[in-house]
């Protein structure tokens, strides 16, 4: 009987996990106790901990800034004084300033090909450094086979330092890459100092990888200012570096 039981134990040992040495058993027990303690404290381990750390690092990098952007420092130090002198303003608060930049990418073909929205969100996010918002149709148009509430574009609104950094990259790197570029039109103002610029293809931005583009996409960029009229808005953008045609 005893021999049969010993043989049965040997068979189970061979069929199951191999026997551990005392050192291995002690190490396994220590790891198990550490996991239990971490779980009790609410600390994530393994891949979840690494992913959470990476997400936290990205968010911290985006929010915290050591100093203001280059263009914002230039406006505070020089451009504001030039505008006050040019227009004879009595108060520094009357000087026109840039309030926000809105980038809108309309995708009419997204009605038949919804996958275009995914690439548009990724590309516009790379250009601006901010996650875009998907825009929807406000009303149905039977001629274009469009239904109200259908997703047809993406947009981003930039303010403060992100706004100045995007403006700086636009006039310093993106616009000079346009083929046969001779400047932008100085007439695209709305009468209240706001300016809209049309971009035919997003490949002028260095953040875009040409090999990964499924279809070239254009965009409208609107610069909102506190200017009293178009002359003040034009002067503000010109001092900031917008290359207007003569």
């Amino acid at each position: 009987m005893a021999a049969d039981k010993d043989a049965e134990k040997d068979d189970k040992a061979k069929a199951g996990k191999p026997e551990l040495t005392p050192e291995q058993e002690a190490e396994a027990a220590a790891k198990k106790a550490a996991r239990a303690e971490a779980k009790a404290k609410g600390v994530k381990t393994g891949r979840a901990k690494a992913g959470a750390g990476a997400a936290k690092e990205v968010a911290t990098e985006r929010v915290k800034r050591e100093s203001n952007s280059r263009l914002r420092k230039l406006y505070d130090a020089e451009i504001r004084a030039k505008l006050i002198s040019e227009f004879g303003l009595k108060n520094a608060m009357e000087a026109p300033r840039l309030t926000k930049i809105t980038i809108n990418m309309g995708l009419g073909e997204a009605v038949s090909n919804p996958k275009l929205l995914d690439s548009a969100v990724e590309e516009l996010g790379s250009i601006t450094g901010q996650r875009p918002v998907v825009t929807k149709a406000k009303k149905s148009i039977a001629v274009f086979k469009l239904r109200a509430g259908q997703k047809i574009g993406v947009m981003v609104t930039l303010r403060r330092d992100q706004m100045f950094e995007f403006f700086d990259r636009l006039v310093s790197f993106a616009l000079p890459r346009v083929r046969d570029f001779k400047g932008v039109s100085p007439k695209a103002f709305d009468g209240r100092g706001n300016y809209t610029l049309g971009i035919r293809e997003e490949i002028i931005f260095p953040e875009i990888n040409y090999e990964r583009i499924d279809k070239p996409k254009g965009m409208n960029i609107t610069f909102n200012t506190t200017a009293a009229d178009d002359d003040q808005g034009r002067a503000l953008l010109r001092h900031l570096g917008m290359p207007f045609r003569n």
Side-chain angles (χ1 to χ4, degrees):
M1 294 294 292
D4 293 340
K5 289 183 179 180
D6 292 339
E8 186 177 355
K9 288 181 180 180
D10 293 340
D11 293 337
K12 289 183 178 180
K14 293 180 181 179
K17 296 182 179 180
E19 295 183 359
L20 299 177
T21 63
E23 292 80 5
Q24 291 176 335
E25 291 181 354
E27 184 179 356
K31 289 182 179 180
K32 186 176 181 181
R35 287 196 299 267
E37 184 179 359
K39 186 176 180 180
K41 292 181 179 180
V43 178
K44 295 182 179 181
T45 59
R47 296 180 180 178
K49 183 178 180 180
K56 185 177 181 181
E57 183 180 354
V58 171
T60 304
E61 183 180 354
R62 178 184 171 186
V63 174
K64 291 186 178 180
R65 298 178 185 273
E66 295 180 359
S67 61
N68 293 331
S69 61
R70 183 191 72 87
L71 207 58
R72 185 170 184 175
K73 290 180 180 179
L74 183 64
Y75 175 83
D76 294 335
E78 300 179 12
I79 298 176
R80 179 185 294 169
K82 291 180 180 179
L83 292 172
I84 293 174
S85 175
E86 183 177 346
F87 294 99
L89 304 175
K90 299 179 180 179
N91 192 338
M93 297 302 295
E94 293 179 354
R97 63 183 184 277
L98 196 62
T99 57
K100 66 179 180 179
I101 296 178
T102 304
I103 303 100
N104 181 39
M105 186 180 289
L107 300 169
E109 296 184 6
V111 175
S112 57
N113 186 12
K115 292 183 179 180
L116 283 176
L117 286 171
D118 297 333
S119 61
V121 168
E122 181 181 356
E123 292 170 5
L124 194 55
S126 300
I127 292 171
T128 61
Q130 181 173 309
R131 182 168 180 80
V133 176
V134 177
T135 56
K136 300 179 181 179
K138 294 183 178 180
K139 60 181 180 180
S140 301
I141 303 177
V143 178
F144 300 111
K145 299 180 180 180
L146 185 65
R147 299 190 305 272
Q150 197 166 11
K151 299 176 181 180
I152 56 171
V154 294
M155 68 169 293
V156 168
T157 301
L158 303 175
R159 291 182 173 87
R160 301 181 182 88
D161 282 312
Q162 282 185 296
M163 169 187 69
F164 282 106
E165 289 176 358
F166 173 79
F167 191 101
D168 201 359
R169 294 198 308 273
L170 176 68
V171 300
S172 301
F173 298 103
L175 290 180
R177 298 178 65 182
V178 177
R179 181 180 298 179
D180 299 330
F181 181 69
K182 298 179 181 179
V184 298
S185 173
K187 300 179 180 179
F189 285 86
D190 63 352
R192 291 177 286 184
N194 303 316
Y195 181 73
T196 299
L197 174 66
I199 302 294
R200 292 185 177 180
E201 295 180 349
E202 80 279 27
I203 59 175
I204 65 173
F205 292 95
E207 295 86 358
I208 299 299
N209 186 358
Y210 182 77
E211 297 178 354
R212 298 181 59 185
I213 295 178
D214 51 356
K215 181 178 179 62
K217 308 176 187 65
M219 65 185 73
N220 291 326
I221 305 175
T222 302
F223 305 88
N224 293 91
T225 71
T226 60
D229 52 30
D230 290 347
D231 291 336
Q232 289 189 8
R234 191 177 297 107
L236 169 63
L237 296 181
R238 185 180 67 253
H239 286 300
L240 288 173
M242 184 66 72
F244 290 115
R245 289 195 297 265
N246 296 327

